[in-house]
Amino acid sequence: MTLHHEVRGRDGTDAPTLILSSGLGGASAYWAPQITALAEHFRVVTYDHRGTNRSGGAGQDTIAAMADDVLAVAAAVGATRFHFMGHALGGLIGLDLALRPASPVESLVLVNAWGRADPHSGRCFDTRITLLEAAGVEAFVRAQPLFLYPAVWMAENGERLEAEIAHGIAHFQGRDNVLSRIAALRAFDAEARLGAVAVPTLVVAAKDDLLVPYTRSLALAEAIPQAVLALSDHGGHAVNITEPAWFDGVVQSFFTGTGIVSPP
């Protein structure tokens, strides 16, 4: 089964392909703030993870299996080589792909990701699991913004958050799927192999990320040979949503600086 995916941006065989992969929620719509800017330079592919949103079936229970799904999406759009941008769990998928023999990945953008989950992140996930199991889906979804966004941003975007929460409740991916995906990201450990990532890599993080300590991104940037770090003081876990102008700017600078795209 090919997962639900969409292709936007440049056409033609000369257009580089960029695949975007979201985090635990699995939704391609997570990247909406970035599509316009990226589509000027890339054939942009977004997809819904297996078992989430418009992709059917039961979700995968390992990061490697989720990475296999990306390869299937790439084959469906005719991409034998591609650039990859992943947020949190999506970043782990990117690392898995980049570490494979004869990897098809040409560059990586890792957003608030990690080589191995921090114990603090584990406490956060334990709290979310308890909410899901003891209080139900609505409580789980209503708590989600606390782990994604800074307090001020949430205070200033109350109406948007309520719409997001309503959508999350209506399209909840299912208890078993959430639990298996959390287990997969907690089990992932590539720290000892990060030195083998052999492509240009941009590591993006926000210092006020509540879910993933930004020190995990510092460790990625130090261990990956061709990595550069972009660190924001503000923005939270979903920094590409809360600080889109800053985020798009550092991504553009990375792709331009590495020669992947031409300067504007």
Side-chain angles (χ1 to χ4, degrees):
M1 181 192 75
T2 301
L3 304 185
H4 178 88
H5 60 277
E6 298 178 32
V7 182
R8 303 179 183 87
R10 292 179 53 190
D11 294 323
T13 56
D14 64 328
T17 297
L18 172 62
I19 298 179
L20 308 182
S21 185
S22 61
L24 183 63
S28 61
Y30 176 80
W31 297 105
Q34 279 66 60
I35 297 299
T36 298
L38 293 172
E40 293 182 12
H41 305 285
F42 294 96
R43 186 171 66 134
V44 180
V45 180
T46 57
Y47 74 101
D48 291 336
H49 292 199
R50 185 179 300 273
T52 76
N53 302 285
R54 293 161 293 182
S55 289
Q60 304 285 30
D61 58 3
T62 67
I63 298 299
M66 297 178 203
D68 288 341
D69 279 343
V70 172
L71 296 180
V73 170
V77 301
T80 57
R81 304 278 294 167
F82 52 85
H83 305 272
F84 189 89
M85 182 185 298
H87 173 256
L89 181 149
L92 312 190
I93 293 171
L95 285 170
D96 181 278
L97 290 168
L99 287 165
R100 294 187 178 197
S103 171
V105 175
E106 296 184 294
S107 73
L108 273 177
V109 179
L110 306 174
V111 186
N112 285 325
W114 56 91
R116 181 175 64 208
D118 191 273
H120 168 76
S121 299
R123 287 190 291 272
C124 292
F125 284 118
D126 285 342
T127 298
R128 297 174 74 179
I129 290 169
T130 299
L131 279 171
L132 178 60
E133 299 281 44
V137 170
E138 182 171 351
F140 177 86
V141 175
R142 285 197 171 277
Q144 180 169 290
L146 302 176
F147 299 98
L148 291 177
Y149 309 122
V152 171
W153 190 90
M154 287 189 286
E156 295 173 348
N157 291 272
E159 187 173 331
R160 172 176 174 167
L161 282 184
E162 285 303 318
E164 185 176 294
I165 289 166
H167 183 274
I169 294 170
H171 300 277
F172 184 64
Q173 60 184 274
R175 169 193 174 277
D176 291 347
N177 198 39
V178 167
L179 296 180
S180 68
R181 285 164 64 78
I182 290 176
L185 63 83
R186 296 177 83 163
F188 181 80
D189 186 354
E191 279 205 336
R193 299 183 291 142
L194 293 175
V197 175
V199 294
T201 302
L202 172 63
V203 178
V204 184
K207 286 186 176 181
D208 62 351
D209 185 347
L210 174 64
L211 182 58
V212 181
Y214 76 89
T215 49
R216 288 296 168 180
S217 290
L218 297 184
L220 288 175
E222 291 172 0
I224 296 173
Q226 300 182 60
V228 293
L229 175 68
L231 187 59
S232 173
D233 288 334
H234 309 289
H237 191 58
V239 65
N240 60 298
I241 292 176
T242 60
E243 299 288 343
W246 176 85
F247 181 86
D248 292 350
V250 298
V251 169
Q252 173 69 39
S253 294
F254 168 71
F255 284 133
T256 300
T258 52
I260 294 168
V261 303
S262 299

